[in-house]
Amino acid sequence: MKSKSTIKLTQTEVSKTLEFSIPNEEAENVTAGLLKNNHLKGMYTDYCIVNQEFLRYILSLKLSGIPANILFFFLSQMDKENKILINNQILIKALKTSEPSIIAGLKKLVKEKVVIKVKYGMSKYEYEINYDCINPQFAFKNKSSRENVVKHKALMEQESPYIKQYNTDGNLDLINKNTGEIFDTIKQFERKEIKPKFTIEDLSESPFDEI
């Protein structure tokens, strides 16, 4: 009967040491290693990262009705790389509205660059599908690999619906490209008045004057 491998644990206040003892006859068929527990595994399959700055831009657009409903529906259905592969008939049924309303709502979202028109190279028989994606500057849904992050950052720079510009106060204005209006200002620093610990009056009453 072959002997079994054993594990020895040595623990201190700041670390743990594990020692694996593997029989020679089993060593060639065994690979020892440590895997860190991923406590988030399976929890965030349907999560995406959202840019709060872009949310403030969307709030400035005062979206309501069908455009707002389309946006929320797109966010709920968005696939990896922010892809939205949905045709108008699905939107009509899901939002219980007419096709002209859907077309007008999509036109509004595309004009404001909340939704970006993209061609994904689908088959010709899928021509009825909207080749859209949520603006990469607004959201990110994908594996957080280096390649995906680099690609996403490049798209963010290309598809921004607003610009950032310093004002005379040294703060950063966020300006809508379509209207030229400032919809938010980011404070870069706060000026604080520094009060001296001693005043001239305090010095005039110095006890050393009596010596």
Side-chain angles (χ1 to χ4, degrees):
M1 182 178 179
K2 293 182 179 180
S3 59
K4 296 181 178 180
S5 61
T6 58
I7 301 175
K8 179 183 177 182
L9 171 63
T10 304
Q11 183 171 343
T12 66
E13 292 184 3
V14 295
S15 65
K16 294 180 181 179
T17 302
L18 288 175
E19 295 182 4
F20 293 86
S21 298
I22 304 171
N24 290 333
E25 62 271 19
E26 297 179 11
E28 293 182 358
N29 300 318
V30 174
T31 300
L34 295 176
L35 295 177
K36 186 176 181 180
N37 290 330
N38 182 2
H39 301 289
L40 304 180
K41 187 177 182 180
M43 288 182 63
Y44 295 112
T45 303
D46 292 327
Y47 277 62
C48 67
I49 299 173
V50 174
N51 181 355
Q52 290 180 311
E53 182 182 285
F54 201 98
L55 272 177
R56 297 197 292 274
Y57 164 71
I58 291 178
L59 285 172
S60 74
L61 300 176
K62 294 181 172 56
L63 297 178
S64 61
I66 298 302
N69 290 340
I70 292 175
L71 175 58
F72 280 116
F73 185 75
F74 277 1
L75 284 170
S76 72
Q77 301 295 319
M78 183 174 65
D79 201 352
K80 291 179 180 179
E81 297 183 3
N82 297 15
K83 290 179 181 178
I84 304 163
L85 303 178
I86 298 172
N87 62 28
N88 286 353
Q89 296 306 313
I90 294 175
L91 287 172
I92 292 168
K93 184 176 181 180
L95 303 181
K96 297 179 175 58
T97 187
S98 64
E99 186 166 18
S101 296
I102 292 296
I103 293 174
L106 282 171
K107 187 176 180 180
K108 170 69 173 176
L109 294 175
V110 171
K111 177 184 176 182
E112 304 295 353
K113 284 196 172 184
V114 177
V115 172
I116 307 298
K117 302 297 289 184
V118 179
K119 293 292 183 181
Y120 289 113
M122 296 296 179
S123 302
K124 291 182 179 179
Y125 66 84
E126 293 178 311
Y127 68 93
E128 292 183 350
I129 292 177
N130 294 318
Y131 305 110
D132 305 328
C133 79
I134 294 293
N135 192 313
Q137 191 173 352
F138 178 28
F140 174 82
K141 184 175 182 181
N142 210 339
K143 292 182 178 179
S144 57
S145 67
R146 179 180 177 82
E147 181 181 355
N148 289 338
V149 171
V150 170
K151 179 180 177 181
H152 191 86
K153 284 183 176 179
L155 292 173
M156 286 174 61
E157 295 177 359
Q158 296 175 14
E159 302 294 352
S160 177
Y162 56 88
I163 60 175
K164 300 179 182 182
Q165 181 174 295
Y166 285 100
N167 58 32
T168 54
D169 295 325
N171 297 319
L172 202 59
D173 289 333
L174 305 183
I175 306 172
N176 187 313
K177 285 183 177 180
N178 287 335
T179 64
E181 296 179 356
I182 299 172
F183 65 87
D184 195 19
T185 298
I186 301 174
K187 291 186 178 181
Q188 299 299 291
F189 59 87
E190 293 184 2
R191 296 179 180 177
K192 294 183 178 180
E193 183 180 353
I194 301 175
K195 296 183 178 181
K197 293 182 179 180
F198 302 99
T199 64
I200 296 177
E201 288 77 11
D202 293 332
L203 293 175
S204 64
E205 298 177 0
S206 172
F208 294 103
D209 294 340
E210 301 177 0
I211 299 176

